[in-house]
Amino acid sequence: MKTTALLLLCFIFIFPSCKKVEGTNKKLPVTITNTEHLKDTAQFINEELLKNTSKDTKAFYKAHNFKTVWTNKFNRLSFHDAIQEASSDGLLPSDYNLSILQKYESNKTITKEECAAYDILLTQSFTKLARHLFKGKLNPGSVYYDWALPSKKLNTSMLLSKALTKNSITETLNSCRPRHKVYYSLKKSLQFLNSLPNDNSYKPLDKTTVLKLKDSGDVVIAVKSRLVYWKDLDSADASGNMYDHKTMKAVKKFQKRHGIYPDGAVSGRTVAALNIGLKKRKQQIIANLERWRWFAYDFGTKAILINIPDYKLAVIENGKDTIETYKVVVGKPARRTPVLQAELNNLVINPTWTVPPTILKEDLTPSASKDRNYFAEHNMKIYKYSDTIETMPEEWDPEKADHYRYVQGPGENNALGVVKFNFNNRFSVYLHDTNHRNLFKRSQRALSSGCVRVEDPLKLAGYVLDKEDAGWTKEKLDEMIALGETKNVGLKKGTHVYQLYWTAWMDKDGIQFRNDIYNLDKILYSKLRN
């Protein structure tokens, strides 16, 4: 009996334990709750999440009662697409947290706190992209020392609020881009360059290469191959190793696109341009896109635009219509012409010229020290300090050359010629005529000490004065010049002056490239990618 009871007791305890052991081998079903709908409803944002954000971001969410605002999936996905599109502007999608935003969007089990964090990151990324499209990724003052363009203002909080209300993220960001056709042509240029195959297989041409019509050899094959790559020569016309008429025509097209005199001969500058590869050209386009975002949003009803690397001045009306163009001479690399925006305030007819410090040190003092006749030959008077009493050349002390003022009298041999265009700027530069008019025959004209010399300044003066007062005529201007007296003519109607730096753009002849005479492209691109 005892034995039976003991067996029964063992059975009672052992049987449940066997069930328990068996049950431990089975996985219990896990229920996953989809919470992605939380992104589409307003969630509370704890102020702790805003602790490390900017004042603007804090103010933005305070104005929206500390609630999430990106509750429309269409707006979120539109912004993702807009970030990807920013690569067409030469910007990096990674700068705007694209991969992190996409992870948040694909998360189907998101918490309310994660929704808030996603919303804040969307707002911060939108603000950053809008500002970069509107006024550039970099502050030009941190890149170049001789850059003086006014900073553009953008209220991103107001912009974002409107965009979210109207579900117009794409359109709003498009409106931040520069409206100039040159900017869009640069985007088109970048798209074209991105479509080209890698050009690493092209070997550089020898710098001493010289080719002309009827020449032949392997180097001609190499030149034709490069011309076909850049679409200046049709591949059907590229057979053979003869430098024929079709190849010469293609070379002329290539030369025009690069600001080289189109003589059809391959040498010097043409060889150097042919040796520049795809990678560098892309970098050049990207640098120019950034500069355009720094430039004025609107050039106004009438403006004088100087493109420094192209050695050209254009008179623009209504922000887009080119009325006249002029050749110009700009500053040499050691004495750069600054980039700036200003307004003409007066013209000086028959100007005098006061020698600036750089020219005094590097030119006048060495020359006059050797021969005091330098002053008479250059129609120049010497004054001590602020005195009005002239110092005679024989009394001049070259050891104290910077203690004097040097003023060249008016006349055709004056360094400023017969007319000078003044506008206020911190660099003390201006536009002017010149007594070295032969320089305009050169294709490379980075030759001045910083100011811009204009090939036909009287024509430009006539345009400016005609806009000022209907009483001005060319005859009246000629009369004033003939008198030989210095006269200031005040200007009341604003004509803006823009000294800008473009080394790439696209027109009817294709992508245009110019030499980066001040090495500004390289500096800018490296900072854009750091």
Side-chain angles (χ1 to χ4, degrees):
M1 188 71 177
K2 280 184 179 180
T3 303
T4 304
L6 189 60
L7 287 171
L8 184 62
L9 190 63
C10 289
F11 179 82
I12 291 169
F13 281 102
I14 291 169
F15 184 75
S17 68
C18 287
K19 279 188 75 177
K20 189 173 183 182
V21 170
E22 183 184 3
T24 58
N25 293 326
K26 290 184 179 180
K27 291 183 178 179
L28 295 173
V30 178
T31 303
I32 299 174
T33 304
N34 187 321
T35 58
E36 62 179 333
H37 65 278
L38 293 176
K39 303 170 199 169
D40 301 328
T41 54
Q43 304 297 330
F44 174 72
I45 295 177
N46 190 313
E47 287 189 57
E48 188 66 23
L49 287 174
L50 296 167
K51 186 177 179 181
N52 296 320
T53 63
S54 67
K55 288 181 180 179
D56 287 346
T57 302
K58 290 184 178 74
F60 176 81
Y61 279 105
K62 183 178 181 181
H64 288 83
N65 301 313
F66 297 102
K67 295 287 183 70
T68 57
V69 293
W70 291 83
T71 53
N72 186 320
K73 187 174 183 179
F74 173 78
N75 285 335
R76 297 195 300 269
L77 294 181
S78 293
F79 182 52
H80 291 188
D81 290 342
I83 294 176
Q84 289 176 320
E85 174 62 23
S87 62
S88 71
D89 297 88
L91 298 171
L92 297 173
S94 57
D95 284 344
Y96 313 102
N97 310 299
L98 180 59
S99 59
I100 302 172
L101 295 174
Q102 287 174 330
K103 284 180 183 176
Y104 269 124
E105 189 61 42
S106 63
N107 190 352
K108 298 188 183 301
T109 57
I110 194 167
T111 66
K112 290 183 178 181
E113 188 174 71
E114 287 171 334
C115 284
Y118 180 26
D119 204 272
I120 293 168
L121 191 60
L122 282 164
T123 296
Q124 290 174 317
S125 300
F126 176 92
T127 299
K128 191 176 185 181
L129 179 56
R131 284 177 177 162
H132 288 183
L133 288 173
F134 185 74
K135 59 181 183 178
K137 178 179 176 178
L138 301 173
N139 177 352
S142 69
V143 183
Y144 308 124
Y145 65 85
D146 52 356
W147 201 281
L149 294 178
S151 178
K152 297 190 285 187
K153 306 291 184 184
L154 183 69
N155 187 331
T156 53
S157 295
M158 186 182 296
L159 202 70
L160 177 55
S161 295
K162 279 186 178 181
L164 292 171
T165 301
K166 296 183 178 181
N167 301 323
S168 61
I169 295 293
T170 302
E171 295 80 3
T172 299
L173 287 171
N174 276 338
S175 72
C176 292
R177 290 179 167 91
R179 295 173 183 172
H180 304 291
K181 63 181 180 181
V182 179
Y183 185 80
Y184 287 95
S185 81
L186 282 169
K187 289 186 65 176
K188 189 176 178 181
S189 300
L190 185 58
Q191 183 183 26
F192 168 72
L193 294 184
N194 284 332
S195 74
L196 294 177
N198 192 296
D199 67 344
N200 289 344
S201 61
Y202 289 96
K203 293 182 179 178
L205 301 172
D206 190 290
K207 292 179 181 179
T208 62
T209 298
V210 176
L211 288 176
K212 56 186 184 301
L213 195 63
K214 303 300 182 184
D215 284 347
S216 61
D218 290 344
V219 68
V220 177
I221 296 173
V223 168
K224 286 183 177 183
S225 179
R226 213 63 172 136
L227 293 170
V228 169
Y229 181 82
W230 291 115
K231 312 298 184 190
D232 292 308
L233 177 66
D234 194 295
S235 57
D237 299 324
S239 60
N241 68 350
M242 176 73 73
Y243 192 72
D244 54 20
H245 285 284
K246 287 182 178 177
T247 306
M248 177 177 274
K249 185 178 179 181
V251 167
K252 286 182 178 180
K253 181 181 177 184
F254 179 88
Q255 289 172 325
K256 282 182 180 178
R257 291 197 305 104
H258 293 78
I260 302 167
Y261 182 75
D263 59 5
V266 177
S267 63
R269 288 185 60 210
T270 303
V271 171
L274 284 166
N275 280 340
I276 295 176
L278 178 63
K279 182 180 178 181
K280 186 171 180 181
R281 289 308 188 195
K282 281 185 183 180
Q283 293 175 357
Q284 197 168 357
I285 295 288
I286 290 168
N288 277 272
L289 280 164
E290 173 71 358
R291 277 196 213 100
W292 265 100
R293 293 188 285 266
W294 293 343
F295 295 158
Y297 206 50
D298 184 357
F299 288 133
T301 54
K302 62 179 185 297
I304 292 171
L305 267 62
I306 295 118
N307 183 10
I308 297 167
D310 195 31
Y311 313 115
K312 290 280 179 67
L313 180 154
V315 174
I316 304 291
E317 290 187 355
N318 305 316
K320 58 181 180 178
D321 301 322
T322 301
I323 307 303
E324 299 170 351
T325 59
Y326 302 79
K327 290 181 180 180
V328 295
V329 172
V330 300
K332 59 188 75 172
R335 303 179 189 178
R336 296 181 346 193
T337 293
V339 173
L340 55 79
Q341 173 186 338
E343 189 173 311
L344 288 182
N345 51 37
N346 70 73
L347 299 184
V348 183
I349 309 301
N350 296 316
T352 59
W353 177 56
T354 300
V355 178
T358 305
I359 294 177
L360 168 62
K361 179 181 177 181
E362 298 181 13
D363 301 327
L364 184 148
T365 303
S367 298
S369 296
K370 293 176 184 177
D371 184 0
R372 303 295 173 95
N373 287 326
Y374 175 92
F375 297 108
E377 289 169 358
H378 290 81
N379 190 23
M380 196 169 288
K381 293 183 178 181
I382 311 165
Y383 299 93
K384 189 176 286 187
Y385 302 106
S386 58
D387 287 359
T388 55
I389 301 172
E390 186 180 352
T391 297
M392 293 297 104
E394 57 271 19
E395 299 172 329
W396 176 67
D397 183 357
E399 296 297 321
K400 297 180 179 178
D402 59 349
H403 289 201
Y404 302 88
R405 285 184 300 115
Y406 307 85
V407 181
Q408 186 179 41
E412 286 196 356
N413 291 321
N414 183 282
L416 306 183
V418 295
V419 62
K420 173 187 174 188
F421 303 76
N422 279 327
F423 44 90
N424 292 326
N425 64 92
R426 63 184 172 89
F427 306 102
S428 300
V429 296
Y430 38 82
L431 311 182
H432 64 90
D433 183 15
T434 178
N435 58 338
H436 295 293
R437 295 174 182 86
N438 59 311
L439 296 180
F440 294 106
K441 294 177 182 178
R442 299 189 187 184
S443 58
Q444 299 292 290
R445 297 191 293 276
L447 305 164
S448 82
S449 297
C451 292
V452 176
R453 306 174 191 177
V454 185
E455 183 180 27
D456 193 349
L458 294 183
K459 183 180 178 184
L460 181 60
Y463 170 83
V464 171
L465 291 172
D466 183 56
K467 297 295 177 182
E468 283 290 314
D469 185 341
W472 280 98
T473 63
K474 185 179 182 303
E475 289 72 25
K476 184 176 178 180
L477 196 57
D478 288 343
E479 254 180 55
M480 291 175 64
I481 292 168
L483 286 172
E485 296 176 1
T486 301
K487 184 172 177 60
N488 290 306
V489 180
L491 303 174
K492 296 178 181 178
K493 296 181 180 177
T495 298
H496 286 91
V497 176
Y498 297 89
Q499 293 183 173
L500 305 175
Y501 197 89
W502 305 327
T503 58
W505 64 93
M506 180 185 278
D507 61 20
K508 59 183 177 59
D509 296 319
I511 304 180
Q512 300 286 321
F513 290 108
R514 296 296 181 268
N515 284 349
D516 181 15
I517 56 176
Y518 298 157
N519 201 34
L520 302 190
D521 289 343
K522 184 179 180 181
I523 295 168
L524 177 53
Y525 182 81
S526 65
K527 286 185 176 287
L528 280 171
R529 290 300 185 250
N530 283 342

